[in-house]
Amino acid sequence: MASTQRRRVGLMTAGGDCPGLNAVIRAVVKSGIYQHDFEMIGIEDGFLGLIQNRMHVMSTDEVSNILTVGGTILGSSNKADPENHAVLENGRWVRRDVTEDVLAHCRQWNLDALIVIGGDGTMCGANHLIGRGLKIVGVPKTIDNDLEGTEVTFGHDTAVTIATEALDRVHTTASSHHRVMVVEIMGRYAGWLALRAGLASGSDVILIPEIPFDLDVVARMCQKRSTRGKRFTIIAAGEGAAPRGGDMVVDHRDEGSPDPIRLGGVAKLVAGEIEKRTGLESRSIVLGHVQRGGTPSPYDRILATTLAHHAVDLLAAGRFGELVVVRDGKISSLPIASIAGKVRKVPLDDPMIRAARGVDTCFGDT
Ligand code: F6P
């Protein structure tokens, strides 16, 4: 890429949005301009903006007053993939490699380097572009907390807080009506969100993708509680949880997306089966995108700002191809290539699982 007098740094938010993205944008733009005199270029709607050549010069004014605002002022998309981009042609989705368009647009905008904020899908795309010569530093985000290599991603803490509050609220209505309430929590193929919210809310049953559940075991737990005089049960169900020997419940396929599977429906399945097996009145609730919206928690604002600042420092030092991570509680970095395409699941011996079992929380396995 050609270089100009001031180094030009592109910035994008890609994949599903999450609280804290604006905090990263603010910190990257401010540190980039104030500390390094970079010219900051905002790429709109993630990889889609690179593919469609939609970018603009950013000023510190544009990022003023956004620290506490959810979503992303740059927009995002979880449908764009330079190597395997879905295009609707004559009513059919076809995949095209549009990498050359992306590289041409980067040259046209004289981008020296990019800061890419995203989750696992985004880091796969970033890794592909690194292989084609782009200089990229990654910042990890996702409410799912499932990005390999980092102990935590910003957005997760806020989502845990929202899901916990929902479970707390469900508690009182479940208790009034003596019902089993099954609350479906996002997280895709990893159970971090359901596990943390379930533990924080004292849910009686926590179902996560890492531990296949047996409906008879879950039903027995509800019955046991009922017999003991506890006339309600709260079940926190990760959307990727699946019955033993069965499959995850898919709501629909989004063929325009690199990962077309959209999970959904496990809470309804569990509530229906529990009612059938126990006679206890059961209801299901899907929290959905509420978990991704609204103002980031203070923890996420701090994490987002710290990760962003480190990413700008790496870029200024010419440390390209790295993802900023949290390891052993400290900010560091590792090669994007080493984590691309990997999902970080909850280990079965995680202290949170052990602690939950210790207070008689049922995971549906025993
Ligand atoms: O990865 C974040 C996430 O919210 C998952 O928890 C969820 O399965 C998925 O995105 C939903 O995707 P969409 O926004 O396309 O419905």
Side-chain angles (χ1 to χ4, degrees):
M1 278 180 280
S3 63
T4 55
Q5 222 177 359
R6 284 177 78 197
R7 290 170 80 187
R8 284 197 137 196
V9 176
L11 168 65
M12 72 155 88
T13 52
D17 74 336
C18 77
L21 285 170
N22 280 329
V24 177
I25 294 172
R26 168 184 174 270
V28 165
V29 170
K30 288 194 172 189
S31 312
I33 293 175
Y34 291 144
Q35 294 199 309
H36 302 285
D37 196 30
F38 292 154
E39 204 171 358
M40 301 304 304
I41 308 297
I43 300 159
E44 294 155 25
D45 299 338
F47 286 124
L48 210 52
L50 274 187
I51 294 167
Q52 298 174 343
N53 204 13
R54 290 188 284 110
M55 317 182 197
H56 64 270
V57 176
M58 298 187 82
S59 68
T60 50
D61 278 354
E62 190 181 344
V63 300
S64 171
N65 276 328
I66 63 167
L67 175 63
T68 61
V69 182
T72 157
I73 60 164
L74 287 175
S76 193
S77 167
N78 57 8
K79 297 196 182 198
D81 176 0
E83 195 183 8
N84 205 16
H85 187 51
V87 204
L88 200 53
E89 280 180 8
N90 302 322
R92 282 185 56 237
W93 288 104
V94 288
R95 301 272 168 184
R96 301 255 179 267
D97 184 343
V98 292
T99 309
E100 289 305 328
D101 295 346
V102 166
L103 299 178
H105 298 150
C106 289
R107 280 194 299 270
Q108 192 181 324
W109 281 83
N110 286 322
L111 297 182
D112 290 296
L114 302 179
I115 291 191
V116 172
I117 308 163
D120 55 343
T122 305
M123 291 311 144
C124 282
N127 193 39
H128 167 67
L129 294 177
I130 290 166
R132 297 299 305 273
L134 290 192
K135 296 170 177 166
I136 294 180
V137 173
V139 181
K141 69 90 223 185
T142 165
I143 63 163
D144 303 337
N145 202 37
D146 62 349
L147 197 58
E148 186 60 41
T150 185
E151 282 154 20
V152 62
T153 53
F154 69 85
H156 181 64
D157 180 68
T158 309
V160 169
T161 306
I162 295 166
T164 303
E165 189 189 336
L167 285 160
D168 290 348
R169 286 177 184 278
V170 158
H171 226 102
T172 58
T173 169
S175 139
S176 308
H177 285 269
H178 320 304
R179 285 173 171 158
V180 176
M181 295 288 236
V182 191
V183 180
E184 187 168 308
I185 296 167
M186 278 185 167
R188 242 173 15 156
Y189 312 125
W192 296 105
L193 199 44
L195 175 59
R196 288 212 163 94
L199 191 55
S201 61
S203 293
D204 310 297
V205 180
I206 301 176
L207 305 178
I208 58 174
E210 292 82 352
I211 305 178
F213 62 85
D214 181 332
L215 281 161
D216 286 329
V217 172
V218 180
R220 264 204 308 277
M221 178 67 170
C222 301
Q223 200 77 68
K224 182 175 95 178
R225 284 178 54 78
S226 181
T227 314
R228 275 188 195 160
K230 291 278 188 190
R231 297 174 63 205
F232 68 95
T233 298
I234 307 293
I235 303 180
E239 62 181 357
R244 199 176 281 157
D247 294 323
M248 293 183 189
V249 187
V250 176
D251 179 73
H252 68 280
R253 290 178 64 89
D254 185 348
E255 297 301 343
S257 190
D259 177 1
I261 292 170
R262 292 294 176 274
L263 297 169
V266 70
K268 192 163 182 223
L269 171 100
V270 171
E273 288 297 324
I274 296 300
E275 188 162 302
K276 224 187 284 172
R277 286 162 207 239
T278 63
L280 298 167
E281 192 179 16
S282 306
R283 292 280 190 274
S284 63
I285 299 142
V286 180
L287 296 186
H289 293 81
V290 166
Q291 295 158 104
R292 283 196 350 215
T295 190
S297 66
Y299 178 88
D300 278 338
R301 295 178 208 176
I302 295 165
L303 180 63
T305 304
T306 315
L307 292 173
H309 182 256
H310 196 76
V312 174
D313 277 355
L314 282 182
L315 189 139
R319 302 256 309 268
F320 303 116
E322 300 267 301
L323 174 75
V324 184
V325 296
V326 179
R327 299 186 87 170
D328 299 325
K330 294 200 180 75
I331 307 277
S332 63
S333 63
L334 45 74
I336 292 177
S338 70
I339 58 93
K342 296 181 186 162
V343 174
R344 193 174 73 96
K345 299 208 169 212
V346 180
L348 295 182
D349 62 348
D350 189 279
M352 288 187 288
I353 294 185
R354 294 212 310 271
R357 288 197 198 276
V359 293
D360 200 29
T361 307
C362 168
F363 284 86
D365 52 344
T366 50

